[in-house]
Amino acid sequence: MMTSKMNLSEEDIKNRYISPAIFETAKWNKSDSLMEYSYTDGRINVVNNVVKRGKQKRVDYLLYYKPNYPLAVVEAKDRKNHPSPNAGLQQGIDYAKDLKVPFAYASNGDAFAEHDMITSTERTLELDEFPTKEELWQRYQRELSLSPEQIKAIEVPFYSSRDTYAPRYYQRIAINRTVEKIANGQRRVMLVMATGTGKTYTAFQIVYRLLKAGIKHRVLYLADRNILVDQAMSDDFGPLSGKITKVQGGKLDSSYPIQFALYQQLVGKEEDAGHEPFRQFKPNFFDLVVIDEAHRGSARADSQWHKILDYFDGPNVTHFGMTATPKREKGASNIDYFGEPIYTYSLKQGIEDGFLAPYKVVRVNLDVDVNGFHPLKGETDKHGRIFDKKLYTSSDFDRSLIIEQRTERVAKYVSDYMKDNNSRWDKSIIFCEDVEHAERMRQAFVNENSDLVAQDSRYVMQITGDDKEGKAQLSNFEDVTSKFPTIVTTSKLLTTGVNVKTCKIIVLDSNINSMTEFKQIIGRGTRLDPEHGKEYFTIIDFRGVSRLFADPAFDGEPIEIADGSNSSGHDRKNSGSEVNEGLHTKYEVSHSVKVLGDQTQYLDDHGDLITTSLTDYTKKNILGKYATLDKFLQDWNSATKKQELLDSLEEHGILYQEIMKQENIKDLDPFDLIVHLAYNQKPLTKAERINNVKKSGLLDKYQGAAREILNKLIDKYKNNGIADLESNQVLSLPEFDQYGGAVKIMLTFGGKKNYENIIKQIKEKIYS
């Protein structure tokens, strides 16, 4: 083993496995590597409104060719416990898969094990054989046969400034893949990224790098709502403000290299036959067309909007689509148009990584929804109209039959829920069947919350396409610092393109059969804003819509529908638009409505919805990690520091601290709580465990100051738990000052080693 070249200290060789000096010797600069790089935030787990962050995913070393281009991960293990350099290789491979990095390495300080992610080959290297940055880069180019245009694009860094955050790992992957595909001549590219994961920021970085590299020169950014265009221009695309303009009044300005436009403006009005503003430019004017929310109008092959894509479609033009919900339906397939997504970052993955808010679901059963409404023969509604002879079910409610008391019952249930959970100021969106339903629901919520409406009439508002006053308040609803509006009723307008980071309650009182629409609605709640108290959100479902969570298509993969039969004409017709269906007959009836029951479900560690209590949830997770008591005791007894193991258990959803807090348990050791919950073992109190230590005679060996110190430490265990007993820092607390401080106390026991040995013996007696 050649260590002299590496400038390794004896401490490095003994303990640290490998040193950063190894990479410097191999001509990797300090700026080329990140040590202990965390690339996720850690999943947020929520049970009974208790929020806990899981463990972050972290690589020991991440080596970069450029700041935007990592080439290798290195997993480091200590020699003492890992005699083979291959010990951490599988772990390194898993990290490389996550980060889409081409080379994975592991080392225990003796040698390197290498796995080439491109060729799936492995080899072992001596420490001084680790490849230089240039060697690895040349090898990467060769193995992937990168074109000169791709290399040119890779050389361009991300845009960065004090006001711009660095891309997250999945954004980096999305940006790099898109830039490389476009640089290599691919003319149809689609990214799938869940709502709240930064699609517009990703698009900005892609456009910036393509322009900077000279691969693209003129960009058309298409959307179908003003709010999407305005937000993109002012926020993420702000650094390019001098190069961008918005098409207004159907007039295009060729002096700007980046044009933002609404489809509607470019195609013109149908009544103005022959006037299509997009024809002001030649078909080859733009060489990059960005299609925001590509699942909507542009996906339909026969839509007016599709004319724009067909027109700007020369041999050097790239169409780049972004969506959270790709779809394939009869006559409307962005997958057929763009091809399979080049990268997908799903809602499930976003929640798993801790970048998106998890949710709990409250399913509410109303008696009329369960039993339906069957009018008697010849029965009339409140306007004297005879009912059709049929059983009306929840799919008919608020479409062809209005039950006033049902609307009132929904508003009362949600309002009571908000009152009972101290969430009356939580921003909430109520999704209704149509505009008329949203109007009636707004009134019902006003009547249930008249005290707060009296403070400000904007507490409850309707925001629909035909309501100018409501739409004027949309920016306030999105503003995290604005209290009003708080409760908003809507139909289709707020299903997409609205960024309400602090939205904490989503109410489903609409018949939603389209998975695309369902994903968009759920996306209204997935943004995180811990600074303003938003770490999860609640879905209150009155229509059984949350059944779609169980559909495999919900995971974020492209939806595959062979034809349109699985998505009703209503859903296709109205998706993304406001329609008032009051043109056909709607019967109205007075009919008492009661809540039969409700059920609350939470996301477990696998992303499945479960119905459980905090205690049951914790028990399930204990048994999931340790199937038997013997397996738990094996880990417990071998743990040098019990508190570190307890902390690890909390990261796996074993929320013992919250149970002890809620149940006001003070006299049990967490160990006893865990074995009692999961394995039905009789628990001992901490007082009983301390008594067992004293009866063992272990403390009788010590007299004077030493005995007093041990008694105080045992008292600390009784009051605060095992953490104080295990930490040498406890000796710096005021109650130990009289014994001369930590160093002198340890000398009282004959030195640090002897002190730690007696503490170890006490712990063994406590848990024997």
Side-chain angles (χ1 to χ4, degrees):
M1 187 177 84
M2 302 176 67
T3 57
S4 58
K5 289 185 184 180
M6 309 303 169
N7 300 317
L8 298 180
S9 67
E10 289 185 11
E11 190 68 17
D12 283 329
I13 297 170
K14 181 180 178 182
N15 298 320
R16 177 62 191 147
Y17 30 82
I18 57 173
S19 163
I22 290 178
F23 308 120
E24 292 177 37
T25 303
K27 298 182 181 178
W28 294 83
N29 298 324
K30 288 184 178 179
S31 60
D32 296 328
S33 66
L34 287 176
M35 186 174 173
E36 296 188 346
Y37 166 67
S38 297
Y39 61 94
T40 72
D41 279 358
R43 177 193 176 90
I44 297 173
N45 293 302
V46 184
V47 182
N48 285 15
N49 300 331
V50 176
V51 178
K52 291 285 183 183
R53 277 275 186 186
K55 194 173 184 179
Q56 296 176 319
K57 287 188 177 181
R58 178 181 298 168
V59 298
D60 289 330
Y61 294 95
L62 186 63
L63 304 181
Y64 286 86
Y65 169 64
K66 293 283 185 182
N68 56 303
Y69 226 86
L71 282 180
V73 297
V74 183
E75 180 63 21
K77 297 296 183 184
D78 65 282
R79 182 184 299 107
K80 180 180 179 182
N81 296 309
H82 303 88
S84 168
N86 288 279
L89 189 56
Q90 185 55 57
Q91 196 174 346
I93 292 171
D94 290 341
Y95 292 145
K97 286 178 180 177
D98 283 351
L99 296 168
K100 302 296 183 286
V101 172
F103 303 103
Y105 293 90
S107 178
N108 66 345
D110 288 333
F112 283 99
E114 176 195 83
H115 183 94
D116 186 322
M117 303 295 291
I118 303 170
T119 63
S120 297
T121 57
E122 292 186 1
R123 62 175 179 160
T124 301
L125 304 171
E126 296 295 329
L127 286 184
D128 61 348
E129 291 179 323
F130 192 84
T132 67
K133 181 169 76 170
E134 194 57 36
E135 286 171 346
L136 211 56
W137 169 239
Q138 292 297 328
R139 184 171 151 198
Y140 177 67
Q141 289 185 66
R142 186 173 61 253
E143 289 183 2
L144 283 184
S145 301
L146 294 181
S147 69
E149 288 294 294
Q150 285 177 301
I151 296 171
K152 185 178 178 182
I154 289 170
E155 295 286 345
V156 176
F158 294 123
Y159 175 85
S160 64
S161 71
R162 291 182 179 179
D163 301 322
T164 306
Y165 64 88
R168 292 169 173 166
Y169 84 92
Y170 64 86
Q171 292 169 334
R172 172 188 54 76
I173 295 168
I175 295 163
N176 286 345
R177 282 198 174 179
T178 305
V179 167
E180 288 173 43
K181 292 290 186 184
I182 293 175
N184 206 36
Q186 187 164 320
R187 297 185 58 238
R188 299 285 182 271
V189 178
M190 182 167 69
L191 279 180
V192 176
M193 295 174 66
T195 300
T197 58
K199 288 192 296 294
T200 311
Y201 169 81
T202 300
F204 159 70
Q205 291 284 6
I206 290 167
V207 169
Y208 171 82
R209 288 181 60 193
L210 289 171
L211 291 176
K212 201 77 173 173
I215 293 168
K216 295 297 179 183
H217 304 88
R218 297 190 191 92
V219 181
L220 175 62
Y221 190 109
L222 290 171
D224 67 350
R225 292 189 182 178
N226 265 312
I227 191 169
L228 295 175
V229 169
D230 295 341
Q231 284 179 344
M233 291 178 66
S234 62
D235 296 342
D236 292 311
F237 277 80
L240 295 174
S241 58
K243 298 181 178 181
I244 61 179
T245 188
K246 179 180 177 181
V247 176
Q248 293 180 310
K251 297 188 182 300
L252 286 74
D253 187 342
S254 62
S255 63
Y256 289 91
I258 306 174
Q259 312 252 346
F260 282 79
L262 298 178
Y263 293 100
Q264 301 93 311
Q265 284 203 332
L266 290 187
V267 297
K269 298 179 181 178
E270 288 189 31
E271 57 266 29
D272 298 335
H275 176 64
E276 295 174 325
F278 64 83
R279 297 186 187 276
Q280 295 172 49
F281 287 161
K282 292 181 179 180
N284 63 353
F285 182 82
F286 297 108
D287 51 13
L288 176 64
V289 180
V290 180
I291 301 101
D292 196 4
E293 302 292 357
H295 64 280
R296 292 213 292 272
S298 61
R300 294 191 64 83
D302 60 352
S303 74
Q304 285 287 98
W305 298 350
H306 217 279
K307 288 182 179 180
I308 303 169
L309 301 184
D310 292 339
Y311 183 77
F312 294 114
D313 195 20
N316 298 317
V317 180
T318 302
H319 290 176
F320 163 45
M322 301 180 296
T323 181
T325 53
K327 66 180 178 181
R328 178 177 292 159
E329 295 179 1
K330 187 177 181 180
S333 173
N334 47 30
I335 296 174
D336 283 347
Y337 185 79
F338 289 101
E340 293 298 324
I342 61 169
Y343 183 63
T344 295
Y345 189 73
S346 67
L347 170 64
K348 183 176 181 179
Q349 190 62 54
I351 292 174
E352 181 65 31
D353 289 343
F355 296 129
L356 293 180
Y359 48 85
K360 66 178 183 178
V361 177
V362 180
R363 289 174 168 159
V364 185
N365 294 316
L366 302 176
D367 58 352
V368 71
D369 291 357
V370 173
N371 302 321
F373 173 74
H374 203 308
L376 300 173
K377 185 178 181 181
E379 185 178 351
T380 61
D381 75 347
K382 63 185 295 185
H383 299 293
R385 295 171 296 194
I386 298 176
F387 286 105
D388 293 335
K389 188 178 179 181
K390 61 171 286 187
L391 175 66
Y392 290 87
T393 65
S394 60
S395 63
D396 299 304
F397 299 155
D398 302 298
R399 283 192 184 184
S400 57
L401 176 65
I402 296 171
I403 302 176
E404 294 176 351
Q405 288 88 340
R406 187 187 178 285
T407 304
E408 294 167 0
R409 179 59 63 184
V410 169
K412 177 171 174 52
Y413 181 94
V414 175
S415 299
D416 287 348
Y417 180 92
M418 294 173 75
K419 293 170 185 175
D420 293 343
N421 288 276
N422 194 30
S423 57
R424 295 192 74 188
W425 293 108
D426 288 349
K427 291 191 177 181
S428 309
I429 305 177
I430 321 299
F431 286 96
C432 303
E433 191 61 33
D434 56 23
V435 172
E436 184 183 331
H437 185 203
E439 290 173 354
R440 289 185 286 105
M441 192 64 76
R442 185 201 67 82
Q443 185 179 72
F445 270 94
V446 166
N447 292 334
E448 288 295 331
N449 298 276
S450 57
D451 56 333
L452 297 184
V453 173
Q455 294 182 30
D456 193 309
S457 62
R458 296 175 300 164
Y459 179 75
V460 180
M461 293 201 75
Q462 174 188 339
I463 300 183
T464 51
D466 65 337
D467 191 295
K468 291 183 180 180
E469 184 181 353
K471 285 199 295 184
Q473 291 295 322
L474 186 53
S475 59
N476 285 329
F477 190 49
E478 292 183 312
D479 187 349
V480 297
T481 64
S482 175
K483 292 176 69 173
F484 304 105
T486 305
I487 298 173
V488 163
T489 67
T490 191
S491 174
K492 305 291 181 183
L493 186 65
L494 302 187
T495 58
T496 186
V498 178
N499 182 7
V500 188
K501 291 177 70 174
T502 52
C503 176
K504 297 179 76 172
I505 297 177
I506 289 176
V507 177
L508 303 175
D509 196 28
S510 174
N511 293 299
I512 301 164
N513 296 308
S514 162
M515 180 63 80
T516 299
E517 185 179 356
F518 178 62
K519 286 184 178 181
Q520 290 291 336
I521 287 173
I522 299 309
R524 298 314 100 206
T526 55
R527 288 177 172 85
L528 279 169
D529 192 354
E531 183 182 346
H532 295 94
K534 166 70 180 297
E535 294 180 289
Y536 69 96
F537 67 106
T538 301
I539 300 164
I540 305 179
D541 179 16
F542 290 91
R543 303 269 181 157
V545 179
S546 53
R547 70 187 183 281
L548 295 175
F549 281 122
D551 192 314
F554 183 74
D555 187 27
E557 297 302 315
I559 298 171
E560 301 290 339
I561 302 177
D563 55 41
S565 62
N566 291 338
S567 184
S568 71
H570 168 80
D571 292 315
R572 292 196 306 274
K573 176 183 176 184
N574 295 345
S575 181
S577 62
E578 291 284 356
V579 176
N580 192 334
E581 296 189 347
L583 298 178
H584 64 261
T585 300
K586 285 188 179 181
Y587 297 106
E588 295 183 53
V589 66
S590 293
H591 184 78
S592 64
V593 177
K594 297 179 181 178
V595 176
L596 291 179
D598 54 20
Q599 182 185 67
T600 301
Q601 296 182 301
Y602 303 89
L603 282 177
D604 67 6
D605 288 341
H606 304 292
D608 298 321
L609 281 167
I610 57 170
T611 305
T612 186
S613 66
L614 181 64
T615 300
D616 290 340
Y617 176 82
T618 297
K619 178 179 178 179
K620 173 179 173 289
N621 289 332
I622 297 170
L623 293 173
K625 188 169 178 61
Y626 301 107
T628 65
L629 175 61
D630 285 344
K631 288 189 175 180
F632 172 71
L633 291 177
Q634 183 179 349
D635 252 22
W636 181 266
N637 293 330
S638 63
T640 305
K641 297 224 171 157
K642 313 300 183 188
Q643 189 58 51
E644 288 182 359
L645 177 58
L646 289 171
D647 292 342
S648 172
L649 295 180
E650 282 230 309
E651 291 174 355
H652 287 84
I654 300 170
L655 307 179
Y656 72 91
Q657 290 191 73
E658 291 300 330
I659 294 176
M660 296 176 84
K661 187 188 301 180
Q662 290 188 12
E663 301 294 330
N664 197 26
I665 298 172
K666 297 179 180 178
D667 58 344
L668 281 190
D669 189 296
F671 170 86
D672 286 283
L673 177 66
I674 289 169
V675 297
H676 175 65
L677 277 181
Y679 312 107
N680 201 30
Q681 297 293 301
K682 181 182 177 181
L684 296 179
T685 65
K686 283 189 281 189
E688 288 173 321
R689 291 194 173 279
I690 290 170
N691 192 42
N692 288 341
V693 174
K694 292 179 177 178
K695 286 194 298 184
S696 72
L698 176 63
L699 303 182
D700 295 339
K701 303 174 185 177
Y702 300 91
Q703 303 297 326
R707 181 63 180 264
E708 291 176 16
I709 291 167
L710 294 178
N711 284 334
K712 285 182 182 292
L713 287 170
I714 289 175
D715 285 341
K716 296 295 288 183
Y717 160 72
K718 182 178 180 181
N719 295 328
N720 302 324
I722 196 66
D724 274 357
L725 192 60
E726 292 185 317
S727 172
N728 291 344
Q729 293 181 358
V730 72
L731 301 178
S732 300
L733 295 176
E735 52 260 58
F736 294 98
D737 286 349
Q738 60 182 302
Y739 304 107
V743 174
K744 192 168 182 181
I745 288 173
M746 289 181 182
L747 289 174
T748 302
F749 292 90
K752 182 179 179 181
K753 187 174 182 180
N754 287 342
Y755 170 79
E756 290 180 344
N757 187 53
I758 181 59
I759 295 299
K760 179 182 177 183
Q761 292 178 55
I762 290 174
K763 288 197 297 180
E764 289 172 353
K765 293 298 180 184
I766 286 176
Y767 295 111
S768 62

